[in-house]
Every structure is written in C-alpha cells, then in structure tokens.
Amino acid sequence: MPSLTETFAARFGHAPDGVWSAPGRVNLIGEHTDYNGGLALPIALPHRTHCAAAARDDDLLRIHSLQEDSFVEVRIDEVTAGHPAGWTAYVAGVLWSLRQAGYAVRGLDVVVDGQVPLGAGLSSSAALECSVAAAASDLFGLGLIETAEGRSVLAAACQRAENDIAGAPTGGMDQAAAMHATENHALRLDCRDGSTSQVPFDLSAHDLVLLVTDTRASHALADGQYGARRDSCETAADLLGVEYLREIDVSALDEALAKLPDDVLRRRIRHVVTEIARVDEVVEALRQGDLAEVGRLFTASHESLRDDYEVSCTELDLVVDTAVAEGALGARMTGGGFGGSAIALVPVACVEQVSAAIAAAFAEAQLTAPQSFSVTAAGPAARD
Ligand code: ADP
Ligand code: MG
C-alpha cells in the first residue's frame, strides 16, 4: 500500500507541506449531557485521522480520502449549508468557518486517511475536522494549535462546520476531546462554559483495560430520536424555569420531577440530572484510584440511558450484560445510542474471555459480528 504522502504526491503532482492528525474519542461518562450545559468525560483514542495537506495561494480546495472513492474540488466562498454534500462538507466546512471567524485562510490540497472506524460513535467526523483544522492553523500561520485558547477556537470552528455545513446538530464534546484531551488523562468537559480539566486515567496501573466494542449496529433511528430527546430537555427546562437542566442539582431532583407533567418527561430529566452528577463521581473515584466505583457508575449510567432515556438497543445491552457477567467491573453504551459502541472496564486477566463472550453472544443472537479492542487515553490533534 502506498503511504499517505505517496498517495498525495501521485494525485496532486507535488509533495504535501506536512501531515497532521487528530484522534477519535470515546466518552467515559456523561451522555446526552452536552446540550444540557452538563459535564462529559471523554478520552482521545489511539485511532487517528491523518491529513496530508499543502497550502494553495488561491481559494480552491481539492479533497480526497482513502476511505471514500471520490475527489472533490470546491472554492471556499462557494461553501454553504449542504454544499459540498457528503463527507467533504466536514473538510470544506472547517476552512469556511475559520474564514467566517475572521481568519485569513486560503485553499488547500488535502488527502485524508482515517483510522477511526466511521460511524461507530467514536467520532471519526471530529477527527477529520480537527486534523484539517490543525493543518490550517500551521499552514496559514494562525498559531491557534499552539495554545489552549487557540485550540478552543479551532474546536468551535470544527463544531460549526459540522452543524452548519454538514448539517449534523451535535454538541461540542467530540471536537473538544480531539483538541484538548491528553495522554493518560480523561478530559472533564464543562459544556456550560466550555472549560476543561485533565483527570488522571491510566488503567494499566490498576491492571485494567478499557475495552471498546463497536456493535456495528446502524444509527438509523438516531436522528429523529436525538431531536426528540433534545426537545424534551428544552420543554422541561422551560417548565422548570432554567436555561439548562445543568442548573438542577441532583439534591433537588425530586422537587423538580414533581413539577413535570408526565412520566416520560420525568424519566428523561432524571437521566440528565443523575448523569451529570455521575460524571463528577467518576472524576472523584478516578482521583481516589477507586476503579470498582468507576465500574459501578458506568453500569448505573447504562441503566439510566436504557430505562430512563431510552436510547440503548439490543446490541448495546448485549455487550454490557455480557461484559459484566464475564468479569467487567462495569460497562455502558457510549455516544448517542441506538447502535455505535459500548465500553467496559475489564481486568487485564479477563479481556480475552470478555471479548470472546461478546462475540459468541452476538453470534448466538444472529447479529452482525461486533469488533472489540482495548484502548488507552491518547493525545490531541497535532502535526505528525
Ligand atoms: P462518527 O463521528 O461517530 O464516526 P458521524 O456520522 O458523525 O459518525 O461521522 C461519520 C462521517 O464522517 C462519515 O460518514 C463520513 O462522511 C465522514 N468521515 C469521517 N472520517 C472520514 C474519512 N477518513 N474519510 C471520509 N469521510 C470521513
Ligand atoms: Mg461524529
């Protein structure tokens, strides 16, 4: 297989100026909390999307991906909601939104190679955006990648690309993780003020691994359901007289629930409020080195997402139940739900046993074979 640089040179007839990359992410806990001004706790994955790029002195963007059989040319000033369509929106959108934010960006020649599984809930989209943003920062002398504040600017531009150009109404967690997460740390992300802090996350010291299982189940249901959950949260916030559900402390939950008119709304809000509280409980347990407690909180989060928020599915429940039955300290779905991936906190000694049992359970249920892999907390977007 030709390398990324060779592919670039063969396509464009010149070498790239460099290669940049950004990680996928997996969220340890804090699901469906970002749009409620809540907390999340992602780690960056060792899986990265690499972007070979060369600056142009005109406005043209020429984009190719090793994962897609397409080549697209678009001018930055032609980029708009829905144009270009498909995967190139994630690339073109980044340059568009940086320009909207007042940065002097020009065109690029780009070839991307993504090692983050696409559409598995591990954020290949933000990895793609952030690899391009890192390249743009260096190639146009923006200096943004060099400071934490600058990285936040890049993350916001990437989120805007995804929301406004690709048309995916996601919160900012994925881009924040790709820009700010560091090796052997989880990123505590406060979605109300955008602040971040690093929490030690080195499982090897505890003879544990984080096992990620991509269920391969499609997110087909996800879009409408995601919107419906957001609407429920907004309705409840209005009824409770708060801007964000974050403002409801878990100690005041019962009081808040009593003000809501129906059981579905009450369960949705109970998930959000308890989930936000669980994030800081996990942070505290990690700081104390109490990994059994982290596992217990993972499973509690899954139960809340399954029963109260109703965003799990057969495949995700099967991973969680099997992992826990085979010795995991805890497990939960991660990401928006209805498919995607699950995580389990597993003693090193039983990783093989847990992943084999998950594969066997899927085979028995006649489901598409899942993919399980162990991950460590890796580093953020950077020049390779
Ligand atoms: P996730 O971010 O969980 O992987 P999304 O649906 O948000 O799922 O993003 C997946 C989409 O991102 C793909 O369908 C594709 O459009 C785009 N994408 C991500 N990585 C690449 C890549 N390496 N090459 C081309 N497109 C990519
Ligand atoms: Mg995504």
Side-chain angles (χ1 to χ4, degrees):
M1 266 255 306
S3 71
L4 177 58
T5 311
E6 285 162 356
T7 305
F8 185 104
R11 176 160 294 275
F12 293 118
H14 59 88
D17 293 332
V19 179
W20 290 260
S21 67
R25 63 94 189 97
V26 72
N27 190 23
L28 297 180
I29 196 158
E31 220 64 77
H32 286 278
T33 54
D34 55 356
Y35 52 84
N36 289 301
L39 302 171
L41 193 67
I43 60 167
L45 293 175
H47 307 64
R48 300 177 77 86
T49 295
H50 300 267
C51 162
R56 299 178 58 88
D57 51 17
D58 59 16
D59 259 10
L60 192 63
L61 254 167
R62 302 195 292 175
I63 321 169
H64 175 64
S65 161
L66 301 192
Q67 281 69 50
E68 298 279 341
D69 194 19
S70 62
F71 176 67
V72 170
E73 292 193 5
V74 60
R75 297 180 56 86
I76 300 176
D77 59 8
E78 290 167 353
V79 175
T80 182
H83 179 78
W87 71 271
T88 52
Y90 296 98
V91 177
V94 171
L95 295 194
W96 170 88
S97 61
L98 282 171
R99 185 173 282 186
Q100 290 280 312
Y103 294 96
V105 299
R106 307 299 308 268
L108 288 177
D109 288 341
V110 171
V111 178
V112 297
D113 184 11
Q115 292 157 6
V116 185
L118 266 59
L122 301 175
S123 195
S124 67
S125 58
L128 174 57
E129 292 147 16
C130 292
S131 69
V132 173
S137 174
D138 281 348
L139 289 176
F140 301 117
L142 310 181
L144 294 168
I145 199 78
E146 281 145 38
T147 65
E149 297 74 31
R151 283 174 173 266
S152 294
V153 171
L154 292 173
C158 290
Q159 187 191 348
R160 196 161 173 216
E162 181 146 351
N163 293 164
D164 293 3
I165 305 303
T170 52
M173 169 175 53
D174 303 349
Q175 294 82 6
M179 281 294 166
H180 293 289
T182 60
E183 231 173 294
N184 292 326
H185 291 87
L187 185 77
R188 180 187 182 277
L189 175 63
D190 185 326
C191 303
R192 185 163 52 182
D193 62 13
S195 64
T196 59
S197 57
Q198 306 289 338
V199 181
F201 187 72
D202 181 8
L203 295 180
S204 62
H206 301 272
D207 291 327
L208 293 168
V209 298
L210 190 73
L211 188 72
V212 176
T213 300
D214 172 6
T215 63
R216 314 289 280 277
S218 97
H219 295 238
L221 265 174
D223 285 354
Q225 295 286 349
Y226 183 84
R229 296 302 180 281
R230 284 189 79 140
D231 288 348
S232 294
C233 292
E234 272 171 35
T235 303
D238 281 349
L239 288 168
L240 297 170
V242 293
E243 188 183 1
Y244 289 117
L245 291 177
R246 167 76 179 279
E247 290 159 51
I248 313 292
D249 189 78
V250 71
S251 63
L253 177 60
D254 288 342
E255 204 180 312
L257 293 181
K259 292 185 192 149
L260 298 176
D262 68 90
D263 182 54
V264 172
L265 208 53
R266 282 193 288 271
R267 286 189 289 120
R268 301 292 188 257
I269 279 41
R270 186 166 60 193
H271 165 71
V272 173
V273 173
T274 59
E275 182 77 355
I276 292 170
R278 276 187 291 271
V279 175
D280 269 341
E281 291 177 61
V282 166
V283 167
E284 184 55 27
L286 284 172
R287 291 196 191 283
Q288 301 294 329
D290 185 352
L291 278 294
E293 176 68 358
V294 173
R296 191 191 68 72
L297 290 160
F298 277 13
T299 306
S301 166
H302 184 75
E303 287 164 358
S304 177
L305 286 155
R306 182 190 65 199
D307 302 336
D308 278 352
Y309 220 59
E310 296 183 284
V311 292
S312 189
C313 64
T314 308
E315 291 86 349
L316 290 166
D317 292 344
L318 192 56
V319 175
V320 168
D321 293 346
T322 308
V324 170
E326 297 292 327
L329 300 188
R332 59 181 293 274
M333 57 160 276
T334 182
F338 303 109
S341 298
I343 55 173
L345 195 56
V346 184
V348 172
C350 47
V351 181
E352 300 298 321
Q353 180 186 330
V354 169
S355 36
I358 291 170
F362 272 59
E364 191 178 336
Q366 298 189 318
L367 297 166
T368 306
Q371 271 200 322
S372 298
F373 43 92
S374 301
V375 301
T376 50
R383 187 170 186 153
D384 280 6

